[in-house]
Amino acid sequence: MTGKLYIIGLGPGDINLRTTEVCQILPHLTDLVGYAPYVERIETTSTVRRHVSDNRQELERARHALTLAEQGHIVGVISSGDAGIFAMASTVFEAIETGNPLWKQLEIIVLPGLSAMFAAAARLGAPLGHDFCAISLSDNLKPWDVILRRLRLAAEGDFVMALYNPVSRSRPWQLDAAFDLLRSLLPTSITVAFAHAISQDDENIHLTTLAEASAKMADMRTLIIIGSRYSRLIPREKAKLPWFYTPRSIKEN
Ligand code: SAH
């Protein structure tokens, strides 16, 4: 089979945060497949065909991309950030595992991207400097009880947490329920960072404590980082947010 399927992470927004490898491959693609806002973000001048779809139709989108590759096209499936983190790479492999046996012979190349948590952490200081975990708060693809259990165990393990997909129109109450649970398990003085649209025009960062954290501070384009018991703030001059970091060593006494 001559077709190829590239699974591409575009990074958090700013083109300077897109890998050189991704920039070099984009002009060679015949077909781009992905969620409309991401596909539209690609400013390639070539005659690439754009196949845009709604956010919820991921498996269908993956099957469509595999079918195009099977027909001999050079296809790019696009995700924001890293394609392997709450994004299309797993969906493509799920489609391969359960779909047309020919798809197992296709050449599949996964190109990494800079995930939102890394871009947000760099703005804040170094909150992910020690053990951390990433949790999607979306209960579209997993039961809410699983999310609560993972939050509880992450709090018990004292991991710094990066929360993706904190709220959406169809999931208005989950984030406050998550904060309520964490407030019952952790010191409420722990730092919580709301990193909105990092590296995009309307980037905005807000630092608060677990006591004050509220779903009102987040939207669909916010990444939340919750510190551990060991994370610290270093105050800076007034106009600047303090640095938020997690030390690399833990000294129990
Ligand atoms: N694959 C992506 C994550 C997709 S899930 C990645 O690796 O970054 C979508 C979630 O990612 C959003 O709800 C938000 O929590 C986060 N996100 C994506 N881009 C972001 C950005 N530029 N700034 C802040 N959060 C972002």
Side-chain angles (χ1 to χ4, degrees):
M1 267 185 276
T2 53
K4 279 189 191 174
L5 182 61
Y6 290 91
I7 306 175
I8 297 172
L10 287 179
D14 184 349
I15 197 160
N16 291 312
L17 298 181
R18 194 178 286 175
T19 69
T20 309
E21 182 180 47
V22 166
C23 294
Q24 284 172 351
I25 213 67
L26 289 174
H28 299 288
L29 301 173
T30 60
D31 295 78
L32 275 173
V33 178
Y35 176 44
Y38 303 153
V39 173
E40 280 152 18
R41 227 159 81 183
I42 294 173
E43 44 304 283
T44 168
T45 50
S46 72
T47 53
V48 69
R49 284 181 297 271
R50 293 169 195 260
H51 308 262
V52 300
S53 50
D54 189 70
N55 209 4
R56 295 277 188 112
Q57 301 160 344
E58 282 147 347
L59 202 51
E60 226 171 275
R61 185 191 302 155
R63 290 187 182 125
H64 182 47
L66 287 158
T67 305
L68 290 165
E70 185 197 328
Q71 291 165 354
H73 300 291
I74 312 296
V75 185
V77 176
I78 305 298
S79 289
S80 75
D82 181 78
I85 299 185
F86 309 125
M88 285 303 292
S90 296
T91 318
V92 170
F93 289 113
E94 200 181 324
I96 291 172
E97 197 176 23
T98 56
N100 183 341
L102 279 179
W103 291 346
K104 296 198 174 74
Q105 294 166 33
L106 279 170
E107 193 175 348
I108 311 280
I109 304 112
V110 187
L111 303 182
L114 188 74
S115 189
M117 66 181 159
F118 302 129
R123 289 284 197 268
L124 292 160
L128 307 181
H130 205 76
D131 302 333
F132 68 91
C133 63
I135 300 178
S136 169
L137 278 202
S138 170
D139 56 357
N140 291 334
L141 301 173
K142 63 185 169 190
W144 179 240
D145 280 353
V146 170
I147 298 172
L148 288 180
R149 177 159 176 271
R150 290 185 178 177
L151 288 169
R152 183 164 50 73
L153 293 172
E156 194 180 305
D158 209 10
F159 288 95
V160 172
M161 296 177 223
L163 302 184
Y164 285 74
N165 296 310
V167 287
S168 76
R169 241 169 279 134
S170 61
R171 295 182 292 106
W173 55 265
Q174 282 85 341
L175 179 58
D176 276 330
F179 285 140
D180 284 344
L181 172 72
L182 294 176
R183 277 190 279 266
S184 73
L185 300 167
L186 290 166
T188 56
S189 57
I190 273 178
T191 299
V192 179
F194 291 82
H196 170 83
I198 295 301
S199 86
Q200 300 174 14
D201 291 344
D202 53 343
E203 171 174 322
N204 174 43
I205 298 177
H206 176 63
L207 279 181
T208 184
T209 59
L210 187 54
E212 303 290 329
S214 147
K216 286 194 204 88
M217 300 167 184
D219 68 10
M220 279 173 70
R221 293 160 64 219
T222 306
L223 187 280
I224 299 172
I225 297 184
I226 303 177
S228 74
R229 286 178 179 80
Y230 300 95
S231 301
R232 316 248 271 268
L233 292 177
I234 304 175
R236 290 197 287 169
E237 58 195 88
K238 251 197 203 127
K240 293 188 175 162
L241 286 176
W243 291 120
F244 176 20
Y245 87 103
T246 306
R248 294 185 63 193
S249 57
I250 291 177
K251 294 178 192 74
E252 296 282 3
N253 38 26

